[in-house]
Amino acid sequence: MEPEEGRAQQVPRPACAQGAGEEARPGHPYYKLFEMPFNIWCGGCNSMIAKGVRFNAEKKQVGNYYSTKIWSFTMKSPCCKHEIVIQTDPKNTEYVIISGAQKKTEDFDVEDAETLLLPADEERDKLADPMYRLEHQEEDLRKKKEAEPVLVRLQRLSDSRHSDDYALNRALRDRLRSQKKRVAEEKKSARKMGLGVRLLPPSAEDAAAAASVKFASKFEKSRKDKRAAIKAASIFPESSSSASKSKLDLALKKRNIKAGAATALMAGRVKPSSWQSNSSTSSRTQMPVLAARK
């Protein structure tokens, strides 16, 4: 099973390196968890290995810088099993890639990063010169005098804002309490609407977007249906014979209904009281039908 990209492959430790707190002797390695100190490019497949990826690396001492030991870490790349060797550099207090990878160069602008530009090595070496150091101190004093009024104003503003700790703490707690109350109300309203997520508070943009949406009303639907029926109908009027035929069919249907009601009365399925409770007009029209059937 191939390991996932960006994850370290677990290397089994040998039996000779299982002792907790075991110190490595010169030339005799043991295994230790190593975390990548910076972003690198793998030398085998040119994939990037991010800063913070951990490896079970083989650690051994390869030399000394005065009394400080120089350590070497050997590990396998998680993407292609390429061997990577990294050593410590006590002189410059950093890690150095010996083989198997290349450090990713990341440049940034000091102003965009809002950081201070550290002096270069040449600048630090020049400070050992007394004359250069004197000129440098004069320049620093001039910059200090220019920035002093701004620093004083900023200090006064900070002191005025943080003079009353109790008031600041109270305002913070009030804001947090109101925020919790608002979140609880939003959750309650969302549950009433049958939603599992909180709705954002209403805004003018949402109202304008909702007003711009137009839904088809019932009037529009009925108007469209009527128009479609008119278009589907024939353009020629119905003849008088067809109109009289439809009237005769309607009369026959009414007569059959009345005959069925009379038959139910004679069979006893309908009580006379319920029959008499009907309108007098209907009773008059039903009697000739009974006589005719007799």
Side-chain angles (χ1 to χ4, degrees):
M1 180 177 176
E2 293 294 333
E4 295 179 344
E5 185 175 356
R7 296 180 63 91
Q9 176 69 17
Q10 297 295 327
V11 180
R13 300 177 64 183
C16 61
Q18 295 293 335
E22 181 183 355
E23 290 294 333
R25 293 172 294 174
H28 294 270
Y30 72 102
Y31 287 80
K32 192 172 183 64
L33 191 65
F34 178 79
E35 184 173 335
M36 190 62 64
F38 37 70
N39 298 331
I40 64 172
W41 297 106
C42 176
C45 59
N46 204 25
S47 299
M48 195 193 79
I49 301 175
K51 175 183 177 180
V53 177
R54 297 181 177 182
F55 299 85
N56 282 336
E58 178 184 333
K59 179 181 178 182
K60 62 181 178 180
Q61 182 182 351
V62 294
N64 290 284
Y65 177 73
Y66 294 104
S67 61
T68 305
K69 298 177 181 179
I70 299 177
W71 298 103
S72 173
F73 299 92
T74 305
M75 63 209 78
K76 297 290 186 179
S77 172
C79 45
C80 62
K81 302 296 185 298
H82 189 69
E83 187 177 84
I84 302 174
V85 181
I86 298 177
Q87 287 185 6
T88 58
D89 185 5
K91 179 179 179 180
N92 300 315
T93 62
E94 61 180 2
Y95 288 93
V96 179
I97 299 176
I98 302 302
S99 63
Q102 182 181 1
K103 184 178 179 180
K104 183 180 179 182
T105 305
E106 296 177 340
D107 297 331
F108 62 92
D109 191 7
V110 177
E111 295 181 358
D112 295 340
E114 298 180 356
T115 57
L116 296 176
L117 180 62
L118 298 177
D121 296 338
E122 296 82 3
E123 191 75 14
R124 289 197 297 266
D125 295 338
K126 289 180 180 179
L127 290 176
D129 187 3
M131 297 301 296
Y132 184 83
R133 187 168 63 251
L134 181 61
E135 294 176 359
H136 197 273
Q137 290 175 355
E138 292 293 334
E139 184 69 19
D140 291 343
L141 290 174
R142 186 183 62 80
K143 291 181 180 180
K144 177 186 175 183
K145 289 180 181 179
E146 292 178 356
E148 189 173 4
V150 179
L151 295 176
V152 170
R153 288 197 300 269
L154 290 175
Q155 184 65 36
R156 290 176 180 175
L157 180 61
S158 178
D159 294 341
S160 63
R161 288 182 176 179
H162 300 86
S163 58
D164 192 355
D165 296 337
Y166 174 76
L168 290 175
N169 192 9
R170 182 179 178 181
L172 181 61
R173 287 187 284 108
D174 292 342
R175 186 171 61 181
L176 182 60
R177 191 179 296 110
S178 61
Q179 183 179 2
K180 287 183 178 180
K181 185 177 180 180
R182 178 176 57 82
V183 170
E185 291 177 355
E186 290 177 356
K187 288 183 177 180
K188 185 178 180 181
S189 61
R191 283 195 298 269
K192 287 182 179 179
M193 299 174 65
L195 301 176
V197 294
R198 292 190 295 116
L199 295 178
L200 294 175
S203 61
E205 292 80 3
D206 296 341
S212 63
V213 178
K214 294 183 179 180
F215 298 96
S217 61
K218 188 176 181 181
F219 172 77
E220 292 291 334
K221 186 176 183 300
S222 60
R223 185 177 67 85
K224 290 180 180 179
D225 294 342
K226 288 182 180 180
R227 186 176 293 275
I230 292 172
K231 289 182 178 180
S234 175
I235 60 175
F236 300 102
E238 295 183 355
S239 61
S240 58
S241 59
S242 61
S244 60
K245 184 178 180 181
S246 61
K247 291 181 179 179
L248 289 175
D249 293 339
L250 182 61
L252 288 174
K253 290 180 179 179
K254 291 182 178 179
R255 190 176 299 172
N256 292 333
I257 292 172
K258 293 177 182 178
T263 304
L265 177 62
M266 293 177 63
R269 291 195 301 268
V270 180
K271 295 182 180 179
S273 58
S274 62
W275 180 263
Q276 292 175 1
S277 62
N278 295 334
S279 61
S280 59
T281 306
S282 62
S283 63
R284 290 194 192 97
T285 57
Q286 289 173 2
M287 292 302 293
V289 175
L290 292 174
R293 288 182 63 85
K294 290 179 181 180

